[in-house]
Structures are given as structure tokens and as C-alpha cells.
Amino acid sequence: MDPAPGDPIAVAARWRAAGLGVALATVVSTWGSSPRPVGSQLAVDEHGNFVGSVSGGCIEGAVVETAQRIIRQGGVELLDFGVSDDDAWAVGLACGGRVQVFVERLDS
């Protein structure tokens, strides 16, 4: 059975098989309003292509940037994003919240 074409894990495996550098970002905790639940994932390749979502678009740019740095340099990073209620309204969210995203390079 083939995995779904937009499945971050399946796409990451295809990118690795093609010889690309790849990182995987995973939502590990949330508090308050969060558009994506714990366990949501985003796969990023060395060129900045990405599949999946960790926030519905609010923080993806920062996560992709971090993922590309980790692909080049190695290591892991825990990103912590918080949004106040006032800031949330400004970007179209109903209320503020907090999300933590773990970013790691996939080496095998």
C-alpha cells in the first residue's frame, strides 16, 4: 500500500532516498489555541520544499528556516512559539496560545 502523497514521513523518506538533506519538525506540546495538535509534522528538504503543517501557516516560515539550518549543521532544536490574544487577532486566530516544535535532521 502506497502512503498518502502528502504524508510528511513518506515524503521525507522519498527525499532521503533521492539523496537530499531532510529535517522533520514535530509539534510536541500545545497550550491554549493551537491550529494543529501534538504529533503534527512538517518535512523540509535542503532546498526549502516542505510538506505537512505544524501550525496552519502561522509559524511555518520560521520552522522551515530552522530546519534548513539543522540540515546543514546537524543537531536538534526545540522551538517555542507564543502568541498573545492581541497578536492572535492580528493574524486571524481566535485567541492566543503556545506551541513547541521539535526539529531534527533525518540521517538515515
Side-chain angles (χ1 to χ4, degrees):
M1 178 179 195
D2 288 337
D7 174 26
I9 297 293
V11 172
R14 283 197 298 269
W15 286 341
R16 286 293 304 142
L20 295 172
V22 178
L24 188 65
T26 304
V27 175
V28 294
S29 72
T30 64
W31 178 85
S33 177
S34 175
R36 302 289 295 159
V38 169
S40 297
Q41 294 184 308
L42 178 76
V44 181
D45 77 6
E46 64 190 50
H47 301 298
N49 297 307
F50 62 94
V51 171
S53 177
V54 290
S55 75
C58 302
I59 61 171
E60 266 73 3
V63 173
V64 167
E65 213 170 272
T66 298
Q68 287 187 285
R69 180 174 39 77
I70 287 175
I71 290 168
R72 289 188 308 272
Q73 300 174 354
V76 298
E77 192 162 328
L78 181 62
L79 305 175
D80 192 352
F81 297 94
V83 178
S84 71
D85 286 348
D86 290 338
D87 290 340
W89 278 107
V91 296
L93 299 174
C95 54
R98 185 174 174 177
V99 59
Q100 288 186 315
V101 178
F102 184 75
V103 184
E104 60 190 319
R105 183 171 72 184
L106 301 181
D107 289 323
S108 57

